[in-house]
Amino acid sequence: MMREQLEDLRTRVLAELEQVDSLSALEDLRVKYIGKKGELTEILKGMGKLSPEERPVIGQLANEIRQKLEQELEQKKDALEKAQLEARLQEETIDVTLPGRPVATASRHPLTQVIEEVEDIFIGLGFEVAEGPEVETDYYNFEALNLPKNHPARDMQDSFYITEEILMRTHTSPVQARTMERKEGKVPVKIICPGKVYRRDDDDATHSHQFTQIEGLMIDEGIRMSDLKGILLTFAKEMFGPDQKIRLRPSFFPFTEPSVEVDISCVMCGGEGCRTCKQTGWIEILGAGMVHPRVLEMSGYDPKRYTGFAFGMGPDRIAMLKFGIDDIRHFYTNDLRFLEQFNRL
Ligand code: PHE
C-alpha cells in the first residue's frame, strides 16, 4: 500500500516537473511534495502501521525516492536559472552604436578666464602673482596708501564696514603695502595681485558693489614712468592684439605721483570711433602712476634710492569688452544660461 503511494508520488512529481517553467513554480512543487509538511512526510506518517520486516524496505524506498526527486528538482532549478540568465542577457544587450549621454562639465567663469590671461602675460614679463585678504584693515586699504582718515579721496571708495577699522577692501592696492612690508625693503618687487573688491555702489549695467581688480606693482632702483608705459603697452598688445595703442592722461590717486589714467585704442572700432568708445576711439582700462614717496617710505623703502610704478585694472571691464557683455551684473548673478556660454576651453 505505502509502496504504491510512494511510487505514485514519484510518477506524479516527475510528470509535473516536466511542466514547470519558472523558479517559483518549482519551489511550489518542492514544498507541496517533499517539503517538511509535504505529501511525502504525510505518507511516511503511516510507517508506524507497517510490520517490522516491511519498515526498513519501505524506509529505504522512501529515501531513494526523496533523493531522486531532490536531484531532479535541483537539475531543473539549474536549467531554469540558466535559461533566465540567457533571457536577461538577450534583453540587455548593449548597443554600442548609441551616442553617449553628454557629461555636463563646468566652465570657467569669464572673469577667471580674463584674470588668468592677464596673469599669463605678466608672468611672462617676470611678475609674480600675490594675494591679499578681501576683509582688510583701514590701515592697509587706506592709510598705508597715503589716504589718511578724513581724506576726501576716501569718498570715492565707500565700502562695507565690519568695524570702524575693518572693511571689505575697496581696491587691490592694499596688496602693494602688504607685499612691500613682507619683502622688508628687498628689491625687485614685481607683483600682480588679482582679486575681488567691494564698494558701496548703486548697481546698474556698469556698476556693481562687488567687482574685480588686478593690481600691479614694480619697485627697484631706477624705475621710471617709461617703464610703466612700456610694460602696459606690451600688455595691451598681448591682450588685445599687436596693433594696440595706449594713451596716458593725467589723473590723481593719493598713492601715486604722478598719476595717470590709461586708455587703449578701442577694441571694437580700432580707434575710428563707435558706440563702445563713445566716438572717442579710446577706452579707459586702468589707473596707474609712480608710487608716491610716502607710500614707499611707510612700507620700508627709501624713496631716495628706490622708485616704482603701480597700476590697477578692472577685469570686469576687460571681460565685457572681450566677450561683448552689456551688463556687469551678469558676472555675479550665477545664471547658468550666461555662464554656460563660456564653456569653450
Ligand atoms: N586702486 C585704484 C582704484 O581702485 C587704481 C590704481 C591702482 C591706481 C594702482 C593707481 C595705481 O581706483
Side-chain angles (χ1 to χ4, degrees), residues 22-78:
S22 74
L23 284 167
S24 63
L26 183 71
E27 178 60 9
D28 290 345
L29 188 76
R30 188 190 66 78
V31 172
K32 181 169 168 207
Y33 292 111
I34 56 173
K36 266 204 193 103
K37 294 179 183 160
E39 211 177 305
L40 182 62
T41 311
E42 213 44 52
I43 297 170
L44 293 177
K45 280 185 185 159
M47 287 284 269
K49 296 195 191 102
L50 298 176
S51 67
E53 300 80 50
E54 269 180 318
R55 220 173 278 157
V57 183
I58 294 295
Q60 203 189 346
L61 177 67
N63 276 340
E64 275 169 21
I65 288 177
R66 180 191 291 279
Q67 264 171 25
K68 166 81 176 159
L69 293 179
E70 276 172 354
Q71 222 175 37
E72 293 284 332
L73 259 69
E74 201 52 43
Q75 266 173 23
K76 184 80 180 183
K77 192 173 166 203
D78 285 350

Side-chain angles (χ1 to χ4, degrees), residues 51-286:
S51 67
E53 300 80 50
E54 269 180 318
R55 220 173 278 157
V57 183
I58 294 295
Q60 203 189 346
L61 177 67
N63 276 340
E64 275 169 21
I65 288 177
R66 180 191 291 279
Q67 264 171 25
K68 166 81 176 159
L69 293 179
E70 276 172 354
Q71 222 175 37
E72 293 284 332
L73 259 69
E74 201 52 43
Q75 266 173 23
K76 184 80 180 183
K77 192 173 166 203
D78 285 350
L80 284 171
E81 276 172 358
K82 219 171 132 191
Q84 207 177 53
L85 181 67
E86 288 291 327
R88 258 183 64 191
L89 286 175
Q90 277 296 328
E91 219 172 86
E92 291 177 8
T93 43
I94 296 162
D95 182 354
V96 290
T97 65
L98 268 182
R101 292 198 187 97
V103 180
T105 50
S107 54
R108 267 151 74 250
H109 194 281
L111 288 175
T112 308
Q113 292 185 29
V114 165
I115 288 170
E116 287 179 359
E117 211 178 319
V118 174
E119 283 177 2
D120 279 351
I121 295 169
F122 280 97
I123 288 167
L125 293 167
F127 284 70
E128 275 173 51
V129 179
E131 286 188 332
E134 286 170 32
V135 179
E136 189 51 282
T137 59
D138 184 271
Y139 176 76
Y140 286 115
N141 195 79
F142 291 129
E143 287 193 47
L145 298 170
N146 201 25
L147 271 148
K149 293 226 162 47
N150 302 318
H151 191 292
R154 283 195 180 201
D155 282 357
M156 307 235 314
Q157 302 195 9
D158 194 9
S159 182
F160 301 95
Y161 281 81
I162 285 123
T163 68
E164 284 273 307
E165 293 297 322
I166 298 173
L167 67 156
M168 302 303 287
R169 68 176 175 192
T170 58
H171 46 184
T172 41
S173 303
V175 185
Q176 283 186 38
R178 286 182 173 275
T179 305
M180 285 190 274
E181 252 185 38
R182 188 165 44 81
K183 288 276 221 172
E184 296 177 332
K186 286 195 224 37
V187 287
V189 178
K190 273 182 101 177
I191 53 143
I192 57 160
C193 162
K196 296 193 191 83
V197 299
Y198 305 82
R199 286 185 200 180
R200 203 215 70 81
D201 234 333
D202 290 324
D203 294 2
D204 63 22
T206 53
H207 295 88
S208 163
H209 59 275
Q210 176 196 324
F211 56 105
T212 56
Q213 277 193 343
I214 301 180
E215 185 83 4
L217 175 68
M218 179 166 179
I219 297 171
D220 207 335
E221 279 183 57
I223 301 291
R224 296 172 304 178
M225 193 90 177
S226 53
D227 296 309
L228 169 65
K229 203 175 168 189
I231 291 273
L232 291 178
L233 182 61
T234 308
F235 161 73
K237 285 176 186 285
E238 288 279 328
M239 189 81 192
F240 300 103
D243 297 330
Q244 267 302 324
K245 297 186 193 64
I246 61 167
R247 173 174 89 166
L248 274 55
R249 288 179 288 116
S251 183
F252 170 78
F253 299 103
F255 33 91
T256 47
E257 182 60 36
S259 303
V260 289
E261 303 276 355
V262 181
D263 300 337
I264 54 165
S265 42
C266 178
V267 292
M268 298 294 169
C269 63
E272 301 271 307
C274 67
R275 256 182 57 206
T276 304
C277 60
K278 299 198 180 91
Q279 311 303 332
T280 63
W282 296 98
I283 292 173
E284 184 195 320
I285 57 158
L286 55 84

